[in-house]
Amino acid sequence: MNPTAPILLTPGPLTTSARTRQAMLMDWGSWDRDFNQMTASVREQLLAILHGQDSHYCVPLQGSGTFAVEAAIGTLVPRNGKVLVLVNGAYGQRLAKICSVLGRAFSTFETAEDQPTTGADVDRLLRADSAITHVALIHCETSTGILNPLQDIAQVVAQHGKRLIIDAMSSFGALPIDAREVPFDALIAASGKCLEGVPGMGFVFASKQALDQAEGNSPSLAMDLYDQHVYMAKTGQWRFTPPTHVVAALHEALQQYAEEGGLAARQQRYQNNCQTLLEGMQQLGLHSFIAADIQAPIIVTFHAPDSPHYDFKTFYERVKAKGFILYPGKLTQVETFRVGCIGCVDGQGMQGAVDAIGQALREMNAL
Ligand SMILES: *Cc1c(COP(=O)(O)O)cnc(C)c1O
């Protein structure tokens, strides 16, 4: 292990524990019973986090998170469906792009990047267009760190008898979502975010009733979640070559998740990370782009220092030299940078990041 390996403050790939990385030091056969038991155990544990055992299937899929989002839309929205996509950032835009590429009818509702969509917005939009069959939203929009009010929106969607698709990629495992209380057709997440596995597989919690009716919907062979599920239910195996080392790492990461105290403990650690970060940055005179009450404890977008000496590239390299990897901003209108709060890092690590950021900006004479 390289002791000077940097801490990633990026929301996936992120910093993983040595135990999780060590779990990848063994090779697994895709037909092997032990590997298939590991897959089954991972799926069960994922369902339990959501309390979805009775209502949902957990269908894993090879690839990054976007593959799973695309697979969910393609499989669960019928060819004559129409999706209302709620947008307040880059991942919402990506959802709309997926609908467009897949040839699914859709409309978008866009709010400013620091404004959540509300249940009232969705109520109005559903009243105005009866062709809409599905609503799709991003729970935590990782391009800013804004949290959209999932519970309110889910309730409105259900009242209208419509179906909900949730991209919970950067919130699943850290922010509570209970499938017994929040009705949805699909919730999508991935191995390399709040569960602190390595990237390489996504998974879709698909409502049993919706997936059972989804045969033939998918315009793709490899990304057909119906086929993936049916094959896995029948054989215990992945339909095509599984990401064996990613599954092994996620299995190990889930064990540590349970040892840490599950969702409540993970949420607490990230909240503490976020608080340490916000307070430290405040002392440096750097401010969050998102108001505190809608800030998810996942990633924080900061306004760049208002100095002619600041540029992100130099700043990034200087902070990296001190052991921390940051993320560029994703906003077009304002100069920002982002710092993730998730991964195998604690308050002390976050304070280290704040110190490194302060030093780097002082070196640049940009504070
Ligand atoms: C990470 C992420 C994704 C998936 O992005 P990939 O680059 O495909 O892993 C999708 N939605 C959100 C909100 C995310 O944070």
Side-chain angles (χ1 to χ4, degrees):
M1 206 71 58
N2 176 3
T4 62
I7 291 182
L8 272 63
L9 296 176
T10 57
L14 40 63
T15 308
T16 55
S17 73
R19 254 175 83 181
T20 296
R21 294 193 300 271
Q22 269 150 13
M24 292 185 288
L25 295 181
M26 186 171 141
D27 299 318
W28 300 82
S30 61
W31 280 72
D32 186 76
R33 194 190 55 206
D34 293 339
F35 176 72
N36 291 326
Q37 277 173 356
M38 198 157 65
T39 297
S41 159
V42 163
R43 293 170 74 204
E44 260 168 48
Q45 292 180 70
L46 294 173
L47 269 172
I49 293 171
L50 196 76
H51 309 288
Q53 297 94 323
D54 294 335
S55 51
H56 291 75
Y57 302 119
C58 173
V59 190
L61 186 73
Q62 300 92 329
S64 85
T66 304
F67 290 61
V69 177
E70 186 166 335
I73 303 262
T75 305
L76 291 166
V77 179
R79 294 182 187 213
N80 60 1
K82 179 172 182 183
V83 188
L84 168 63
V85 184
L86 309 177
V87 181
N88 48 10
Y91 290 100
Q93 300 281 11
R94 191 181 293 176
L95 261 180
K97 181 88 188 282
I98 288 170
C99 292
S100 159
V101 168
L102 293 180
R104 293 295 187 267
F106 71 99
S107 60
T108 57
F109 175 70
E110 192 162 353
T111 49
E113 285 166 310
D114 57 355
Q115 290 300 320
T117 316
T118 65
D121 290 329
V122 176
D123 185 47
R124 189 182 65 246
L125 292 158
L126 289 177
R127 279 177 205 284
D129 184 355
S130 62
I132 293 166
T133 55
H134 292 69
V135 175
L137 89 156
I138 313 288
H139 186 205
C140 167
E141 176 48 85
T142 322
S143 56
T144 56
I146 193 174
L147 190 64
N148 285 306
L150 172 60
Q151 270 82 358
D152 293 354
I153 292 171
Q155 215 159 44
V156 169
V157 172
Q159 276 161 8
H160 283 265
K162 308 295 182 183
R163 294 157 178 279
L164 184 64
I165 294 175
I166 308 160
D167 174 344
M169 205 71 66
S170 63
S171 55
F172 175 74
L175 301 181
I177 305 168
D178 189 330
R180 298 167 303 187
E181 285 161 17
V182 178
F184 60 84
D185 266 21
L187 183 143
I188 308 127
S191 52
K193 301 240 171 169
C194 298
L195 299 175
E196 301 184 1
V198 301
M201 64 174 268
F203 41 90
V204 178
F205 299 100
S207 132
K208 290 183 178 175
Q209 179 244 5
L211 193 68
D212 286 342
Q213 293 172 11
E215 183 174 11
N217 279 350
S218 176
S220 161
L221 172 76
M223 289 162 70
D224 186 340
L225 293 178
Y226 178 86
D227 277 359
Q228 178 88 328
H229 172 71
V230 167
Y231 188 86
M232 204 171 260
K234 202 164 74 187
T235 65
Q237 294 169 20
W238 294 61
R239 198 171 41 138
F240 305 126
T241 302
T244 46
H245 297 73
V246 177
V247 176
L250 182 56
H251 187 257
E252 185 62 39
L254 282 166
Q255 195 151 326
Q256 293 160 77
Y257 181 78
E259 286 168 17
E260 184 178 353
L263 190 144
R266 185 70 41 108
Q267 179 178 24
Q268 188 60 51
R269 176 157 61 83
Y270 289 172
Q271 252 156 10
N272 183 41
N273 285 353
C274 188
Q275 198 58 32
T276 304
L277 176 67
L278 285 168
E279 283 169 12
M281 296 291 265
Q282 181 98 26
Q283 281 172 12
L284 295 174
L286 296 172
H287 302 290
S288 169
F289 173 77
I290 294 291
D293 60 330
I294 48 168
Q295 168 74 61
I298 303 297
I299 187 167
V300 183
T301 298
F302 290 100
H303 288 281
D306 184 17
S307 158
H309 301 295
Y310 175 84
D311 78 282
F312 179 75
K313 258 197 142 129
T314 313
F315 172 57
Y316 174 90
E317 291 300 339
R318 285 184 183 273
V319 174
K320 181 181 173 184
K322 300 175 201 314
F324 299 91
I325 302 286
L326 301 181
Y327 226 38
K330 225 176 185 171
L331 306 183
T332 45
Q333 306 292 323
V334 229
E335 172 81 8
T336 55
F337 64 90
R338 290 179 291 166
V339 186
C341 308
I342 66 178
C344 182
V345 53
D346 59 10
Q348 206 178 340
M350 296 308 289
Q351 187 58 49
V354 169
D355 294 344
I357 287 169
Q359 278 170 23
L361 291 174
R362 264 178 239 114
E363 286 163 16
M364 292 168 69
N365 205 12
L367 261 189

